[in-house]
Amino acid sequence: MPEITINLAAGRTDEQKRGMMADITAALVKHLGVDPEVVVIQINEAPLSHKMKGGKTYLERQAKT
């Protein structure tokens, strides 16, 4: 069974995440020939203050824009 884990900074809607997971499931069905019932997708979300890039948290980076 294919199992996909996705790490994201928090902030996307449930609708966006559901759409992404549906598209990934469809891609696995198409390219791997698996049944959608065996595809497992898990999203791990981190608060913007708990994720850092370039020495600044995502919250700090967001404040600059």
Side-chain angles (χ1 to χ4, degrees):
M1 105 180 113
E3 188 164 335
I4 307 294
T5 303
I6 300 163
N7 298 312
L8 291 174
R12 277 105 178 161
T13 67
D14 286 343
E15 184 177 279
Q16 289 172 316
K17 291 180 278 190
R18 190 198 181 294
M20 176 189 64
M21 290 187 287
D23 288 349
I24 292 169
T25 299
L28 293 173
V29 169
K30 177 181 177 181
H31 296 288
L32 299 183
V34 297
D35 188 296
E37 290 297 318
V38 302
V39 176
V40 176
I41 300 174
Q42 177 177 321
I43 296 174
N44 298 322
E45 287 187 283
L48 297 181
S49 61
H50 293 186
K51 197 167 179 87
M52 183 176 275
K53 180 178 179 181
K56 295 186 185 204
T57 66
Y58 276 46
L59 190 60
E60 293 166 329
R61 295 169 69 84
Q62 187 179 54
K64 284 191 144 186
T65 60

Coordinates of all heavy atoms in Angstrom, one line a residue:
M1 N 0.8 -1.2 0.0 CA 0.0 0.0 0.0 C 0.9 1.2 0.0 O 1.8 1.3 0.8 CB -0.9 0.0 1.2 CG -0.6 0.9 2.3 SD -1.7 0.8 3.7 CE -0.6 0.2 4.9
P2 N 0.7 2.2 -0.9 CA 1.4 3.4 -0.9 C 1.0 4.3 0.3 O -0.2 4.4 0.5 CB 1.1 4.1 -2.2 CG 0.4 3.1 -3.0 CD -0.2 2.1 -2.1
E3 N 2.0 4.8 1.0 CA 1.7 5.7 2.1 C 2.5 7.0 1.9 O 3.7 6.9 1.8 CB 2.0 5.1 3.4 CG 1.6 5.9 4.6 CD 1.5 5.1 5.9 OE1 1.4 3.9 5.9 OE2 1.6 5.8 6.9
I4 N 1.8 8.1 1.8 CA 2.5 9.4 1.6 C 2.3 10.3 2.8 O 1.2 10.4 3.4 CB 1.8 10.1 0.4 CG1 1.7 9.3 -0.9 CG2 2.5 11.5 0.1 CD1 3.1 8.9 -1.5
T5 N 3.4 10.9 3.3 CA 3.4 11.8 4.4 C 3.8 13.2 3.8 O 4.8 13.3 3.2 CB 4.4 11.4 5.5 OG1 4.0 10.1 5.9 CG2 4.3 12.3 6.7
I6 N 3.0 14.2 4.2 CA 3.3 15.6 3.7 C 3.5 16.5 4.9 O 2.6 16.5 5.8 CB 2.1 16.0 2.8 CG1 1.9 15.1 1.6 CG2 2.3 17.5 2.4 CD1 0.6 15.2 0.9
N7 N 4.6 17.2 4.9 CA 4.8 18.2 6.0 C 4.5 19.6 5.4 O 5.1 20.0 4.4 CB 6.3 18.1 6.4 CG 6.6 16.8 7.0 OD1 5.8 16.2 7.8 ND2 7.7 16.2 6.6
L8 N 3.7 20.3 6.1 CA 3.3 21.7 5.7 C 3.3 22.6 6.9 O 3.1 22.3 8.0 CB 1.8 21.6 5.2 CG 1.4 20.9 3.9 CD1 -0.1 21.0 3.7 CD2 2.1 21.6 2.8
A9 N 3.6 23.9 6.5 CA 3.4 24.9 7.5 C 1.8 25.2 7.5 O 1.2 25.1 6.5 CB 4.1 26.2 7.0
A10 N 1.3 25.4 8.7 CA -0.1 25.6 8.9 C -0.6 26.8 8.1 O 0.1 27.7 7.8 CB -0.5 25.7 10.4
G11 N -1.9 26.7 7.7 CA -2.5 27.9 7.0 C -3.4 27.6 5.8 O -4.0 28.4 5.3
R12 N -3.4 26.3 5.4 CA -4.2 26.0 4.3 C -5.6 25.5 4.8 O -5.7 25.0 5.9 CB -3.6 24.9 3.4 CG -2.6 25.4 2.4 CD -1.3 25.0 2.9 NE -0.2 25.5 2.0 CZ 1.0 25.6 2.4 NH1 1.3 25.4 3.6 NH2 1.9 26.0 1.5
T13 N -6.6 25.7 4.0 CA -7.9 25.3 4.4 C -8.1 23.8 4.2 O -7.3 23.1 3.5 CB -9.0 26.0 3.5 OG1 -8.9 25.5 2.1 CG2 -8.9 27.5 3.5
D14 N -9.1 23.3 4.9 CA -9.4 21.8 4.8 C -9.7 21.5 3.3 O -9.4 20.4 2.9 CB -10.6 21.5 5.7 CG -10.2 21.4 7.2 OD1 -8.9 21.3 7.5 OD2 -11.1 21.4 8.0
E15 N -10.4 22.4 2.6 CA -10.7 22.2 1.2 C -9.5 22.1 0.4 O -9.4 21.2 -0.5 CB -11.6 23.3 0.7 CG -12.1 23.1 -0.7 CD -13.0 24.2 -1.1 OE1 -14.2 24.2 -0.8 OE2 -12.6 25.1 -1.8
Q16 N -8.5 22.9 0.6 CA -7.2 22.9 -0.2 C -6.5 21.6 0.1 O -6.0 20.9 -0.8 CB -6.3 24.0 0.2 CG -6.8 25.4 -0.3 CD -6.0 26.5 0.3 OE1 -5.7 26.5 1.5 NE2 -5.6 27.5 -0.6
K17 N -6.5 21.2 1.4 CA -5.8 19.9 1.7 C -6.5 18.7 1.2 O -5.8 17.8 0.7 CB -5.6 19.8 3.3 CG -4.6 20.9 3.8 CD -4.5 20.8 5.3 CE -5.6 21.5 6.0 NZ -5.4 21.6 7.4
R18 N -7.8 18.7 1.2 CA -8.6 17.6 0.7 C -8.3 17.5 -0.8 O -8.1 16.4 -1.4 CB -10.1 17.7 1.0 CG -10.8 16.5 0.6 CD -12.3 16.6 0.5 NE -12.9 15.4 0.2 CZ -12.7 14.6 -0.9 NH1 -11.9 15.1 -1.9 NH2 -13.4 13.5 -1.2
G19 N -8.4 18.6 -1.5 CA -8.1 18.6 -3.0 C -6.7 18.1 -3.3 O -6.6 17.3 -4.3
M20 N -5.7 18.5 -2.6 CA -4.4 18.0 -2.8 C -4.3 16.5 -2.6 O -3.7 15.8 -3.4 CB -3.4 18.7 -1.8 CG -2.0 18.2 -1.9 SD -0.9 18.9 -0.7 CE -1.6 18.2 0.8
M21 N -4.9 16.0 -1.5 CA -4.9 14.6 -1.2 C -5.6 13.8 -2.3 O -5.1 12.7 -2.7 CB -5.4 14.3 0.2 CG -4.5 14.8 1.3 SD -5.1 14.2 2.9 CE -6.5 15.3 3.2
A22 N -6.7 14.3 -2.8 CA -7.5 13.6 -3.9 C -6.6 13.6 -5.1 O -6.6 12.5 -5.8 CB -8.8 14.4 -4.1
D23 N -5.9 14.7 -5.5 CA -5.1 14.7 -6.7 C -3.9 13.7 -6.5 O -3.5 13.0 -7.5 CB -4.5 16.1 -6.9 CG -5.6 17.0 -7.5 OD1 -6.7 16.6 -7.8 OD2 -5.3 18.2 -7.5
I24 N -3.3 13.6 -5.3 CA -2.2 12.7 -5.1 C -2.7 11.2 -5.2 O -2.1 10.4 -5.9 CB -1.5 12.9 -3.8 CG1 -0.8 14.3 -3.8 CG2 -0.6 11.8 -3.4 CD1 -0.3 14.8 -2.5
T25 N -3.9 11.0 -4.6 CA -4.4 9.6 -4.7 C -4.7 9.3 -6.2 O -4.3 8.2 -6.6 CB -5.8 9.6 -3.9 OG1 -5.5 9.9 -2.6 CG2 -6.4 8.2 -4.1
A26 N -5.3 10.2 -7.0 CA -5.5 9.9 -8.4 C -4.2 9.6 -9.1 O -4.2 8.8 -10.0 CB -6.3 11.1 -9.0
A27 N -3.2 10.4 -8.8 CA -1.9 10.2 -9.5 C -1.3 8.8 -9.2 O -0.8 8.1 -10.0 CB -0.9 11.2 -9.1
L28 N -1.4 8.3 -7.9 CA -0.9 7.0 -7.6 C -1.8 5.9 -8.2 O -1.2 4.9 -8.7 CB -1.0 6.8 -6.0 CG 0.0 7.7 -5.3 CD1 -0.2 7.6 -3.8 CD2 1.4 7.4 -5.6
V29 N -3.1 6.1 -8.3 CA -3.9 5.1 -9.0 C -3.5 5.1 -10.5 O -3.3 4.0 -11.0 CB -5.4 5.5 -8.9 CG1 -6.3 4.7 -9.8 CG2 -5.9 5.4 -7.4
K30 N -3.3 6.2 -11.1 CA -2.9 6.3 -12.5 C -1.6 5.7 -12.8 O -1.4 4.9 -13.7 CB -3.0 7.7 -13.0 CG -2.5 7.9 -14.5 CD -2.6 9.3 -14.9 CE -2.1 9.5 -16.3 NZ -2.1 10.9 -16.7
H31 N -0.6 6.1 -12.0 CA 0.8 5.7 -12.4 C 1.3 4.4 -11.7 O 2.2 3.8 -12.2 CB 1.8 6.8 -12.0 CG 1.5 8.1 -12.8 ND1 1.9 8.2 -14.1 CD2 0.9 9.3 -12.4 CE1 1.5 9.4 -14.5 NE2 0.9 10.1 -13.5
L32 N 0.7 4.0 -10.6 CA 1.1 2.8 -10.0 C 0.1 1.6 -10.1 O 0.4 0.5 -9.8 CB 1.3 3.0 -8.4 CG 2.4 4.0 -8.1 CD1 2.5 4.1 -6.5 CD2 3.7 3.7 -8.7
G33 N -1.1 2.0 -10.6 CA -2.1 1.0 -10.9 C -2.7 0.4 -9.6 O -3.1 -0.8 -9.6
V34 N -2.7 1.2 -8.5 CA -3.2 0.7 -7.3 C -4.7 1.1 -7.1 O -5.2 2.0 -7.7 CB -2.4 1.2 -6.0 CG1 -1.0 0.6 -6.1 CG2 -2.4 2.7 -6.0
D35 N -5.4 0.4 -6.2 CA -6.8 0.8 -5.9 C -6.7 2.0 -4.9 O -5.9 2.0 -4.0 CB -7.4 -0.4 -5.2 CG -8.9 -0.2 -5.0 OD1 -9.3 0.7 -4.3 OD2 -9.7 -1.0 -5.6
P36 N -7.6 3.0 -5.1 CA -7.6 4.1 -4.2 C -7.8 3.7 -2.8 O -7.3 4.5 -1.9 CB -8.7 5.0 -4.7 CG -9.5 4.3 -5.7 CD -8.6 3.1 -6.1
E37 N -8.4 2.6 -2.5 CA -8.7 2.2 -1.1 C -7.4 1.8 -0.4 O -7.4 1.8 0.9 CB -9.7 1.0 -1.1 CG -11.0 1.4 -1.5 CD -11.7 2.4 -0.6 OE1 -11.6 2.2 0.6 OE2 -12.4 3.3 -1.1
V38 N -6.3 1.6 -1.1 CA -5.1 1.2 -0.4 C -4.1 2.4 -0.2 O -3.1 2.3 0.5 CB -4.3 0.0 -1.1 CG1 -5.2 -1.2 -1.2 CG2 -3.8 0.5 -2.4
V39 N -4.5 3.5 -0.7 CA -3.6 4.7 -0.6 C -3.9 5.4 0.7 O -5.0 5.8 1.0 CB -3.9 5.7 -1.8 CG1 -3.1 7.0 -1.6 CG2 -3.6 5.0 -3.1
V40 N -2.8 5.7 1.4 CA -2.9 6.4 2.7 C -2.1 7.7 2.6 O -0.9 7.7 2.2 CB -2.3 5.5 3.9 CG1 -2.3 6.3 5.2 CG2 -3.1 4.2 4.0
I41 N -2.7 8.8 2.9 CA -2.0 10.1 2.9 C -2.2 10.8 4.2 O -3.3 10.8 4.8 CB -2.6 11.0 1.8 CG1 -2.4 10.3 0.4 CG2 -1.9 12.4 1.8 CD1 -3.1 11.1 -0.7
Q42 N -1.1 11.2 4.8 CA -1.2 11.9 6.1 C -0.5 13.3 6.0 O 0.6 13.4 5.4 CB -0.4 11.1 7.2 CG -0.4 11.8 8.5 CD 0.3 10.9 9.6 OE1 0.1 9.7 9.6 NE2 1.1 11.6 10.4
I43 N -1.2 14.3 6.5 CA -0.6 15.7 6.5 C -0.1 16.0 7.9 O -0.9 15.9 8.9 CB -1.6 16.7 6.0 CG1 -2.0 16.5 4.6 CG2 -1.0 18.1 6.2 CD1 -3.1 17.3 4.1
N44 N 1.1 16.4 8.1 CA 1.6 16.9 9.3 C 1.8 18.4 9.2 O 2.5 18.8 8.3 CB 3.0 16.2 9.7 CG 2.9 14.7 9.8 OD1 1.9 14.2 10.4 ND2 3.9 14.0 9.3
E45 N 1.1 19.1 10.1 CA 1.2 20.6 10.0 C 1.9 21.1 11.2 O 1.7 20.7 12.3 CB -0.3 21.2 10.0 CG -1.0 21.0 8.7 CD -2.3 21.7 8.7 OE1 -3.2 21.2 9.3 OE2 -2.3 22.8 8.0
A46 N 2.7 22.1 10.9 CA 3.5 22.8 12.0 C 3.0 24.3 12.0 O 2.8 24.9 11.0 CB 4.9 22.8 11.7
P47 N 2.8 24.8 13.2 CA 2.5 26.2 13.4 C 3.6 27.0 12.7 O 4.8 26.6 12.7 CB 2.4 26.5 14.9 CG 2.2 25.1 15.5 CD 2.9 24.1 14.5
L48 N 3.3 28.2 12.2 CA 4.3 29.0 11.5 C 5.4 29.4 12.4 O 6.6 29.6 11.9 CB 3.6 30.3 11.0 CG 2.5 30.1 9.9 CD1 2.0 31.4 9.5 CD2 3.0 29.3 8.7
S49 N 5.2 29.4 13.7 CA 6.3 29.7 14.6 C 7.2 28.5 14.9 O 8.2 28.6 15.6 CB 5.7 30.3 15.9 OG 4.9 29.3 16.5
H50 N 6.8 27.3 14.5 CA 7.5 26.1 14.7 C 8.3 25.6 13.5 O 8.8 24.5 13.5 CB 6.6 25.0 15.2 CG 6.0 25.2 16.5 ND1 5.3 24.3 17.2 CD2 6.1 26.3 17.4 CE1 4.9 24.8 18.4 NE2 5.3 26.0 18.5
K51 N 8.3 26.4 12.4 CA 9.0 26.0 11.2 C 9.9 27.2 10.8 O 9.5 28.3 10.8 CB 7.9 25.7 10.1 CG 8.5 25.0 9.0 CD 7.3 24.5 8.1 CE 7.7 23.7 6.9 NZ 7.9 22.3 7.2
M52 N 11.1 26.9 10.4 CA 12.1 27.9 10.1 C 12.8 27.7 8.8 O 13.0 26.5 8.4 CB 13.2 28.0 11.2 CG 14.2 29.1 11.1 SD 15.3 29.1 12.5 CE 14.4 30.1 13.6
K53 N 13.1 28.8 8.1 CA 13.8 28.7 6.9 C 14.7 29.9 6.8 O 14.3 31.0 7.1 CB 12.9 28.7 5.7 CG 13.5 28.6 4.3 CD 12.5 28.6 3.2 CE 13.2 28.6 1.8 NZ 12.2 28.6 0.8
G54 N 16.0 29.7 6.5 CA 16.9 30.8 6.4 C 17.1 31.6 7.7 O 17.4 32.8 7.7
G55 N 17.0 30.9 8.8 CA 17.2 31.5 10.1 C 16.0 32.3 10.7 O 16.1 33.0 11.7
K56 N 14.9 32.3 10.0 CA 13.7 33.0 10.4 C 12.5 32.1 10.4 O 12.3 31.3 9.5 CB 13.4 34.2 9.5 CG 14.5 35.2 9.5 CD 14.1 36.5 8.7 CE 15.4 37.3 8.8 NZ 15.2 38.7 8.6
T57 N 11.7 32.2 11.4 CA 10.5 31.4 11.4 C 9.5 31.8 10.3 O 9.6 32.9 9.8 CB 9.7 31.5 12.7 OG1 9.1 32.8 12.9 CG2 10.6 31.1 13.9
Y58 N 8.7 30.9 9.9 CA 7.7 31.2 8.8 C 6.8 32.4 9.3 O 6.4 33.2 8.5 CB 6.9 30.0 8.5 CG 7.5 29.1 7.5 CD1 8.9 28.7 7.6 CD2 6.8 28.6 6.4 CE1 9.5 27.9 6.7 CE2 7.5 27.8 5.5 CZ 8.8 27.4 5.7 OH 9.4 26.6 4.8
L59 N 6.6 32.5 10.6 CA 5.8 33.7 11.1 C 6.6 35.0 10.9 O 6.0 35.9 10.4 CB 5.5 33.4 12.6 CG 4.5 34.4 13.2 CD1 3.2 34.3 12.6 CD2 4.4 34.1 14.7
E60 N 7.9 35.0 11.1 CA 8.7 36.1 10.9 C 8.8 36.5 9.4 O 8.7 37.6 9.0 CB 10.1 35.9 11.5 CG 10.1 35.8 13.0 CD 11.5 35.3 13.5 OE1 12.1 34.5 12.8 OE2 11.8 35.7 14.6
R61 N 8.9 35.4 8.6 CA 9.0 35.6 7.1 C 7.7 36.2 6.6 O 7.7 37.0 5.7 CB 9.3 34.3 6.5 CG 10.7 33.8 6.8 CD 10.9 32.4 6.3 NE 11.0 32.3 4.9 CZ 12.1 32.5 4.2 NH1 13.2 32.8 4.8 NH2 12.1 32.5 2.9
Q62 N 6.6 35.7 7.1 CA 5.2 36.2 6.7 C 5.1 37.7 7.1 O 4.5 38.4 6.3 CB 4.2 35.3 7.4 CG 2.8 35.6 6.9 CD 1.8 34.7 7.6 OE1 1.7 34.7 8.8 NE2 1.0 34.0 6.8
A63 N 5.6 38.1 8.2 CA 5.4 39.5 8.7 C 6.2 40.5 7.7 O 5.8 41.6 7.6 CB 6.0 39.6 10.1
K64 N 7.2 40.0 7.0 CA 7.9 40.9 6.1 C 7.2 41.2 4.8 O 7.5 42.2 4.2 CB 9.3 40.2 5.8 CG 10.3 40.3 6.9 CD 11.6 39.9 6.3 CE 12.7 40.8 7.0 NZ 14.0 40.5 6.5
T65 N 6.2 40.3 4.5 CA 5.5 40.6 3.2 C 4.4 41.5 3.3 O 3.9 41.8 4.3 CB 5.0 39.2 2.6 OG1 4.1 38.6 3.5 CG2 6.2 38.3 2.2

